[in-house]
Amino acid sequence: MGGGDGNRAHRARRIGVRVRLFAQLFADLDETTKTGAKVAAMVRYFAAADPADAAWAVYFLRGDRPKRLIPVRRLAAWAMQESSTPPWLFEECYNSVGDLAETISLLLPESQQSAGRPLHDWMENVVLPLAGEHESNQRSAIVGAWRELGGTERFVWNKLITGGFRVGVSQSLVVRALSQASGIPEAVMAHRLSGAWEPQPGAFANLMSQETSDAVVSRPYPFFLAHALEGGPETLGDPVNWQAEWKWDGIRAQLIRRRGQTFLWSRGEESVAERFPELEEASALLPDGSVIDGEILPWRDGRPLSFAHLQRRIGRKTLGKILTEVPVVLVAYDLLENGGADIRGQPLASRRALLERLLTAVRTGGRILLSPLVEVSDWEVVRAAHGQSREMGAEGLMLKLLDSPYGVGRRRGPWWKWKVNPFTIDAVMVYAQAGHGRRASLHTDYTFAVWKDAELVPFAKAYSGLTDAEIRSLDNWIRRNTLEKFGPVRAVRAEQVFELGFEGIQLSPRHKSGLAVRFPRILRWRTDKKPEEADKLETLHALMESA
Amino acid sequence: MLSVTERGLYCESGDFYVDPWLPVENAVITHAHGDHARWGCRSYLGSRDGERVLRTRLGFDASIRSADYGETLTINGVRVSLHPAGHILGSAQVRIEHGGEVWVVSGDYKTEPDPTCTPFEPVRCHTFVTESTFGLPIYRWAPQADVFAEISHWWSANRDASRASVLFAYALGKAQRVLSGVMNADIGPIFTHGAVERLNRDYRDSGVALAKTTYASSAPRDQNWAGALIIAPPSATGSPWLRRFGAISTAFASGWMRIRGARRRRSLDRGFALSDHVDWPALLQAISATGAESVWVTHGYREPVVRWLMDHGVNARAIASRWEGEMETEPIAPDESAYE
């Protein structure tokens, strides 16, 4: 009998250690701004944690969170009752702390007990079932946990149930830590960690598995991204080493065909297959074990439609008519997996050859197109092509080293994006509004107008592009030249002219000017220009037609 | 008895001020922190225990008269005595009695034991003027033994990683409390910033035992700082003075460290919630122990404390203070910058 009690006590201690481990991981991550120390803390955790708990830790570290299970208002009410704090005093405390989960854990009486449950048990048997529960059951579960947990554990618990769990580690740090803990290379780990994550012990075991021919069929590879090229390509050395193609303005995506199934992932690691059923259909004949990196583009008559068309499709819950109004294609840039083999380590030139062979052999109904190459015999030719980007419906050019492997994340050197200069126009500021955060007391948001006969018609808002000194000086001018106030918005004298840049332009019945511009920003404050020298609405229409 | 004036709390019958914030003729001082002991008064009255530190703060030409705790002086017919406040060495509550009425001005205080100063004594009075620096229920201190154990653990982890541990603590009071608290923890070597070392000397000369310390600037050029504990005032945060120590972990010992955001705002590695002020339960307990019919609340979360007291049947009011909110750094005398 004594032995039985001893075993139970031993088990309780061991389990207690497990849940404290996660709270300790949180504290360790929270206590340092040094990435090395954060990685070391995660490595320690993964080495010691039960896979069932570690699976949940990965879930939270990736930034996944359960949907908010209980309204915070209820949590606050229960905390007030538990701590005998009147609402006004709770409010004072909250204002002083600035974080609800922390306020609650600071106000509750100290717990005399130590937690007896591992993290996965808390999540699966306490937290997740709360969602459908009656309020009184929710209350007893939450209050019970508060009484059971102490210190950091209670704070972490509150963070879990309020869904506000942020630990300040990027996905790449989590990948690095898992890689160090398992000995699996970072690229493989990044691949394993992308896509949806099920917080199950088996998933964690797969993550750490030394068997590297990964079985998870839906997983995309991490995207390889390019840096912006400023100026021109002449600094890149011999053009013979480079591949050039158009930079399209669509949705960067990975099309995966494995085990007779198609998966389509956007760069934000969202599954978008159901939004583009024609691509799923088009990939039906691709051999298993093919992964294509490309761009989803609205496409008609051999050229892309504007991004606004694609936005219409993204916004739609049911597709129907839009399928014919805005047809899409996948323009294929790269091949990452061929015949089931990860070929990212091969040079771009070989991957491109395999991609060409694949798309020649397979019928896709014209839905999967090979990204056309641009001639790179010398940089002058490339420059000339760059100048034609707009006519092609592209944003500029991509320049990629022919011997570059397909890397992870954004790295300087092997891949560059060379965007075309934006459209520019001179416009008059007509309204100003105060900004947020650091600039809350300054007018930083401006509305601009162009001339339509003798009238100024607003067509764009811009927030960025001026220096802090210019903003202060302009703010001063705005305060002295306000004609009228509408809440936070001030109508100002039409005197200041600005050169604006934007990426695209299209008709918009919602705007008074009848036009909408994409990514407007301030290029220069034209103190040398008078308002009557600003551009006319006809100029904008002409720009749109030329594009 | 007392009134709030633009120079501070004034006793008209006795013609003296308690902790005036502008120069006056006669000042009674609760303790030597810069927000209580200001320069330029013609004469000061303070506790015997606190005489050395007060002189260090006010300068050698200041006219300071000292009284023992409990000793009653008569100033223009008003009976004045000083009683331990447990805040720092020499800190006092000022008891003022006139015409059968008793007032007590707490200054800053804590009721937890602290080997570097005489423990707080509750004093019965009709009106109690209390501080409220940590006057919200989110402020509750863990047992100090736990905090010292955490500091010790932090230091040993840093030593094992070949880092120096830089602990920021107010130069007067908190630094010495830490040095006393870790005395038996086998931590070392311990180095100090000049502002701290100057006051260590006053504490030791007053008979307070502290862990052995070395003035950091007197260390040889090739000193290996890995594994050292360095005690510096908060004003040294981010200063070039820290560069000499190489790889460091930083921490702040202060009641403000109870709140995560307060630590993160300062980009510190660790925060130790160690305070020389009463926490919420101790504040209410101390107020109640005075038996006061009326409570004046100053220095800190005045309004919430007043409202709480009123809701619990105590007649309370908030009084103005020059010193509000979270003190980023302890106000220190200008000449202290000369120490480094």
Side-chain angles (χ1 to χ4, degrees):
Chain A
M1 40 163 263
D5 281 353
N7 280 341
R8 205 161 31 240
H10 176 73
R11 194 161 58 243
R13 267 200 305 280
R14 195 164 51 84
I15 291 169
V17 165
R18 288 204 304 218
V19 72
R20 270 200 300 279
L21 266 180
F22 183 67
Q24 186 59 48
L25 170 64
F26 175 85
D28 289 348
L29 294 173
D30 193 47
E31 271 162 13
T32 181
T33 51
K34 300 175 187 87
T35 54
K38 284 182 195 263
V39 170
M42 287 187 278
V43 170
R44 276 199 304 277
Y45 176 82
F46 290 126
D50 183 303
D53 293 336
W56 276 103
V58 168
Y59 175 87
F60 287 115
L61 289 169
R62 277 168 44 107
D64 292 332
R65 50 173 73 177
K67 288 211 173 61
R68 185 166 287 173
L69 303 156
I70 299 174
V72 289
R73 196 192 297 259
R74 268 187 215 170
L75 288 174
W78 301 335
M80 288 180 220
Q81 288 161 14
E82 272 295 290
S83 63
S84 311
T85 309
W88 67 266
L89 188 55
F90 187 90
E91 190 69 29
E92 291 275 359
C93 292
Y94 175 63
N95 289 341
S96 191
V97 175
D99 179 291
L100 184 73
E102 186 179 359
T103 307
I104 291 175
S105 43
L106 291 174
L107 281 174
L108 293 169
E110 282 306 322
S111 154
Q112 296 310 309
Q113 305 173 41
S114 183
R117 291 167 193 253
L119 176 64
H120 75 272
D121 187 16
W122 277 116
M123 292 309 302
E124 288 153 20
N125 299 324
V126 185
V127 177
L128 298 183
L130 284 176
E133 280 291 342
H134 187 266
E135 184 174 339
S136 65
N137 292 344
Q138 289 185 337
R139 184 182 194 280
S140 59
I142 296 290
V143 170
W146 282 340
R147 289 181 185 158
E148 196 171 332
L149 296 164
T152 312
E153 289 167 24
R154 185 153 66 192
F155 173 58
V156 171
W157 159 261
N158 285 342
K159 281 295 193 189
L160 299 184
I161 55 173
T162 53
F165 192 86
R166 274 185 219 92
V167 284
V169 292
S170 63
Q171 176 102 348
S172 66
L173 286 191
V174 179
V175 166
R176 196 182 306 167
L178 286 165
S179 161
Q180 287 180 20
S182 62
I184 305 286
E186 275 188 43
V188 175
M189 189 53 79
H191 178 207
R192 288 183 180 183
L193 205 58
S194 50
W197 175 256
E198 279 298 316
Q200 295 301 320
F204 186 72
N206 286 343
L207 205 59
M208 307 298 272
S209 164
Q210 302 300 311
E211 170 58 59
T212 49
S213 62
D214 284 292
V216 184
V217 292
S218 71
R219 285 242 159 113
Y221 294 94
F223 284 84
F224 190 36
L225 307 172
H227 258 280
L229 181 69
E230 305 293 344
E234 288 78 8
T235 52
L236 300 179
D238 194 340
V240 78
N241 298 325
W242 294 84
Q243 170 180 302
E245 59 201 312
W246 301 108
K247 184 185 185 319
W248 304 108
D249 185 17
I251 297 172
R252 179 88 181 272
Q254 247 176 70
L255 181 92
I256 296 170
R257 183 75 186 173
R258 291 183 189 129
R259 295 200 193 160
Q261 291 171 275
T262 294
F263 307 92
L264 191 63
W265 294 93
S266 75
R267 225 189 80 196
E269 290 191 357
E270 258 183 286
S271 172
V272 292
E274 63 281 9
R275 300 207 178 275
F276 304 104
E278 60 263 65
L279 295 180
E280 190 163 0
E281 199 183 308
S283 61
L285 295 177
L286 284 176
D288 273 345
S290 306
V291 177
I292 294 171
D293 177 12
E295 192 99 11
I296 300 170
L297 286 175
W299 196 268
R300 173 169 288 145
D301 304 330
R303 58 171 290 136
L305 301 167
S306 76
F307 188 79
H309 287 86
L310 203 50
Q311 273 177 319
R312 281 179 60 208
R313 271 197 70 156
I314 300 166
R316 224 35 91 81
K317 276 232 166 70
T318 50
L319 295 168
K321 229 170 47 173
I322 197 111
L323 284 173
T324 46
E325 283 174 15
V326 186
V328 300
V329 298
L330 181 78
V331 174
Y333 296 133
D334 212 327
L335 188 64
L336 313 185
E337 188 175 306
N338 190 41
D342 176 359
I343 59 164
R344 291 177 298 159
Q346 294 189 20
L348 172 63
S350 326
R351 298 198 308 274
R352 171 80 191 189
L354 291 168
L355 178 67
E356 287 176 8
R357 196 180 310 161
L358 179 71
L359 293 182
T360 322
V362 177
R363 288 163 39 150
T364 66
R367 296 285 196 186
I368 303 178
L369 309 174
L370 196 57
S371 160
L373 296 184
V374 172
E375 191 194 330
V376 274
S377 50
D378 78 60
W379 291 129
E380 269 314 301
V381 176
V382 176
R383 267 194 184 278
H386 184 255
Q388 292 174 327
S389 300
R390 198 95 71 197
E391 284 123 79
M392 291 296 298
E395 287 186 294
L397 290 177
M398 293 295 303
L399 297 165
K400 299 173 180 174
L401 270 177
L402 283 166
D403 65 359
S404 61
Y406 189 93
V408 171
R410 200 183 297 279
R411 276 187 42 224
R412 243 175 177 356
W415 285 18
W416 297 96
K417 54 180 177 195
W418 184 25
K419 289 177 118 178
V420 290
N421 288 324
F423 294 102
T424 66
I425 202 154
D426 290 331
V428 184
M429 180 172 72
V430 287
Y431 301 111
Q433 192 173 349
H436 300 279
R438 186 166 70 91
R439 288 167 164 176
S441 59
L442 291 172
H443 293 85
T444 56
D445 304 359
Y446 317 111
T447 302
F448 298 95
V450 287
W451 293 104
K452 184 185 177 188
D453 305 321
E455 190 197 357
L456 279 167
V457 286
F459 78 104
K461 273 183 145 185
Y463 310 90
S464 62
L466 295 177
T467 66
D468 281 357
E470 283 174 327
I471 289 171
R472 281 193 299 275
S473 148
L474 189 56
D475 177 75
N476 192 282
W477 181 89
I478 289 164
R479 287 169 197 278
R480 284 179 293 114
N481 292 277
T482 301
L483 300 173
E484 214 177 331
K485 285 194 205 176
F486 318 94
V489 179
R490 289 165 182 251
V492 297
R493 266 176 230 289
E495 283 180 14
Q496 302 298 338
V497 180
F498 293 82
E499 184 181 327
L500 302 185
F502 45 91
E503 302 289 338
I505 185 167
Q506 66 242 351
L507 288 173
S508 162
R510 277 188 304 182
H511 291 79
K512 198 172 173 186
S513 60
L515 293 170
V517 295
R518 186 154 144 80
F519 298 137
R521 57 193 181 273
I522 301 167
L523 299 179
R524 267 191 300 168
W525 186 356
R526 297 298 301 261
T527 48
D528 58 321
K529 286 209 168 185
K530 294 196 169 66
E532 50 272 26
E533 293 175 75
D535 280 305
K536 297 186 169 64
L537 190 58
E538 297 96 271
T539 319
L540 279 170
H541 277 281
L543 278 176
M544 183 175 61
E545 276 144 33
S546 76
Chain B
M1 180 95 76
L2 290 177
S3 54
V4 182
T5 72
E6 60 185 16
R7 290 170 185 275
L9 270 182
Y10 180 55
C11 174
E12 196 177 353
S13 325
D15 188 26
F16 61 84
Y17 289 80
V18 181
D19 292 350
W21 49 67
L22 291 172
V24 298
E25 286 289 299
N26 304 305
V28 180
I29 300 298
T30 61
H31 65 286
H33 275 151
D35 50 342
H36 293 260
R38 307 297 294 169
W39 302 278
C41 296
R42 217 171 60 86
S43 80
Y44 296 91
L45 171 66
S47 77
R48 180 95 54 215
D49 282 9
E51 188 174 340
R52 278 192 179 80
V53 290
L54 190 60
R55 195 165 283 293
T56 293
R57 285 295 169 115
L58 294 176
F60 288 89
D61 51 353
S63 161
I64 300 175
R65 180 180 173 197
S66 293
D68 288 322
Y69 287 131
E71 176 187 350
T72 302
L73 307 173
T74 305
I75 304 175
N76 301 324
V78 175
R79 290 162 61 83
V80 175
S81 55
L82 303 179
H83 303 266
H87 176 59
I88 61 167
L89 178 62
S91 65
Q93 306 172 73
V94 183
R95 182 184 184 278
I96 304 164
E97 183 182 347
H98 187 59
E101 203 184 340
V102 178
W103 286 52
V104 169
V105 181
S106 75
D108 292 339
Y109 64 104
K110 70 171 175 292
T111 52
E112 264 185 305
D114 172 355
T116 67
C117 60
T118 312
F120 175 89
E121 278 172 19
V123 182
R124 305 282 298 178
C125 57
H126 298 102
T127 299
F128 185 48
V129 182
T130 183
E131 62 136 325
S132 60
T133 307
F134 292 108
L136 282 179
I138 47 176
Y139 293 106
R140 281 175 299 150
W141 312 139
Q144 54 183 321
D146 295 358
V147 181
F148 288 122
E150 272 181 59
I151 293 176
S152 183
H153 185 256
W154 164 71
W155 167 79
S156 62
N158 290 332
R159 178 201 52 196
D160 296 348
S162 299
R163 277 191 300 259
S165 305
V166 177
L167 180 60
F168 299 111
Y170 295 148
L172 168 55
K174 188 66 59 62
Q176 291 74 32
R177 183 164 171 220
V178 169
L179 287 168
S180 158
V182 301
M183 211 161 37
N184 300 317
D186 198 24
I187 287 182
I190 305 177
F191 293 93
T192 51
H193 183 279
V196 171
E197 194 55 30
R198 178 71 185 81
L199 289 152
N200 285 353
R201 198 191 312 158
D202 289 333
Y203 266 62
R204 291 189 179 109
D205 290 350
S206 305
V208 178
L210 302 178
K212 183 178 179 302
T213 58
T214 307
Y215 175 34
S217 296
S218 71
R221 280 206 162 274
D222 60 348
Q223 174 71 40
N224 173 18
W225 301 100
L229 174 65
I230 294 136
I231 313 271
S235 55
T237 312
S239 73
W241 183 79
L242 291 175
R243 284 191 204 133
R244 69 188 75 184
F245 303 116
I248 59 173
S249 173
T250 57
F252 187 19
S254 161
W256 299 112
M257 296 298 104
R258 170 89 168 150
I259 309 297
R260 180 166 166 255
R263 169 175 61 78
R264 291 165 67 87
R265 267 207 302 285
R266 292 174 176 81
S267 297
L268 296 158
D269 294 317
R270 293 294 299 270
F272 301 111
L274 183 73
S275 178
D276 286 328
H277 296 267
V278 274
D279 62 5
W280 173 259
L283 172 70
L284 299 181
Q285 168 67 36
I287 291 171
S288 153
T290 64
E293 298 149 5
S294 169
V295 177
W296 289 14
V297 184
T298 182
H299 266 2
Y301 289 104
R302 294 173 304 176
E303 283 75 18
V305 172
V306 166
R307 181 158 175 196
W308 176 275
L309 292 171
M310 299 285 274
D311 285 354
H312 289 76
V314 181
N315 180 25
R317 65 174 271 211
I319 61 165
S321 158
R322 269 291 180 86
W323 316 101
E324 292 298 338
E326 176 173 353
M327 276 175 17
E328 285 296 322
T329 54
E330 170 190 30
I332 52 171
D335 57 314
E336 281 184 13
S337 54
Y339 297 152
E340 280 300 333

